[in-house]
Amino acid sequence: MEQRTYNQYCATARTLDLVGERWTLLLIRELLTGPKRFSDLQHSLRGLGTGLLAARMKHLEREGLVAKVTLPPPARTPAYALTPAGEDLEPVVLALARWGLTWAMDEPREQETFHPGWAVLGLKACFDAEAAAGLRALYEFRVEEEVFHARIDDGTIETVHGPAQRPDVIITTSREAFRDLAASRSTLAAALSSGAASASGDQQALRRLHHLFRLPLPQTRAAAPDHAS
């Protein structure tokens, strides 16, 4: 597949030459949470055909953003991982997520898919470092078949797929309830009160959780004012 280019000697244009094609930044998003097998990428990106996925991964490999790896035991299967250059795109992806939460997210559309595991990166995008000052806690989230956790360490956060070892707090909820939390249509306190979610563990750490992640206030995209006389 021939690579398209803007033919501009500009850092923004050169970057878009590398990652601006459809699906490419979403592949980066998936790999920012750890190595993935080809089948993992197919599962998370429904609508991306096998041939186009293979072409996109070859492009990312060729450009030095992705490398092939072998997952550790017991899997021992081929996978893809970001190179240091690919990992450096994390602030870009998080900034796009924050912009989207403010300017692009409205009601879910009927044909749209939703994976709770996307929150592994979304939690970073909404993390309030000041609110986490002095806190050291491990939170595990169980959303039906998906499990992930967040480690808070004095204003920093690490989010990982899979269960935590000795979590301080465990949050359990349904996919629908978690989607409502992610869309700001509900709060954790409301979900716990209604029974849509349950929590166990350290109560002080649970109380702090309410303040650790702040979703930006949604805004409406409006046309620019007409300054014509």
Side-chain angles (χ1 to χ4, degrees), residues 41-117:
L41 297 171
Q42 284 183 305
H43 175 73
S44 294
L45 299 173
R46 299 290 173 86
L48 174 55
T50 301
L52 184 55
L53 173 55
R56 289 287 184 267
M57 297 313 295
K58 286 180 181 178
H59 164 74
L60 291 171
E61 279 188 84
R62 184 172 62 248
E63 297 297 343
L65 299 177
V66 165
K68 288 180 179 175
V69 298
T70 300
L71 294 178
R76 296 186 185 276
T77 55
Y80 296 94
L82 293 175
T83 64
E87 291 172 348
D88 253 7
L89 286 165
E90 180 177 83
V92 177
V93 176
L94 293 181
L96 283 171
R98 284 189 288 267
W99 186 93
L101 287 167
T102 303
W103 296 104
M105 294 294 282
D106 47 23
E107 291 300 307
R109 299 162 190 164
E110 184 177 346
Q111 70 274 20
E112 289 182 325
T113 60
F114 174 74
H115 290 284

Side-chain angles (χ1 to χ4, degrees), residues 32-213:
L32 280 169
T33 59
K36 301 289 187 302
R37 298 169 298 181
F38 193 90
S39 59
D40 295 329
L41 297 171
Q42 284 183 305
H43 175 73
S44 294
L45 299 173
R46 299 290 173 86
L48 174 55
T50 301
L52 184 55
L53 173 55
R56 289 287 184 267
M57 297 313 295
K58 286 180 181 178
H59 164 74
L60 291 171
E61 279 188 84
R62 184 172 62 248
E63 297 297 343
L65 299 177
V66 165
K68 288 180 179 175
V69 298
T70 300
L71 294 178
R76 296 186 185 276
T77 55
Y80 296 94
L82 293 175
T83 64
E87 291 172 348
D88 253 7
L89 286 165
E90 180 177 83
V92 177
V93 176
L94 293 181
L96 283 171
R98 284 189 288 267
W99 186 93
L101 287 167
T102 303
W103 296 104
M105 294 294 282
D106 47 23
E107 291 300 307
R109 299 162 190 164
E110 184 177 346
Q111 70 274 20
E112 289 182 325
T113 60
F114 174 74
H115 290 284
W118 289 336
V120 173
L121 202 60
L123 290 173
K124 283 188 176 182
C126 303
F127 180 60
D128 187 336
E130 291 185 5
L135 175 65
R136 289 177 173 81
L138 186 57
Y139 298 91
E140 181 174 291
F141 300 87
R142 300 176 181 177
V143 187
E144 296 183 9
E145 74 279 4
E146 298 204 49
V147 180
F148 48 93
H149 64 275
R151 183 184 301 277
I152 311 298
D153 187 1
D154 191 19
T156 65
I157 184 172
E158 177 188 17
T159 56
V160 182
H161 284 286
Q165 290 189 353
R166 296 195 297 273
D168 298 291
V169 175
I170 297 174
I171 305 292
T172 304
T173 184
S174 68
R175 179 184 294 259
E176 290 75 18
F178 189 78
R179 185 184 64 182
D180 288 344
L181 292 173
S184 296
R185 291 188 295 175
S186 180
T187 64
L188 179 58
L192 292 172
S193 178
S194 69
S198 63
S200 61
D202 185 276
Q203 292 301 302
Q204 184 176 355
L206 177 60
R207 286 192 292 271
R208 292 287 297 269
L209 179 61
H210 291 272
H211 308 288
L212 296 181
F213 305 101

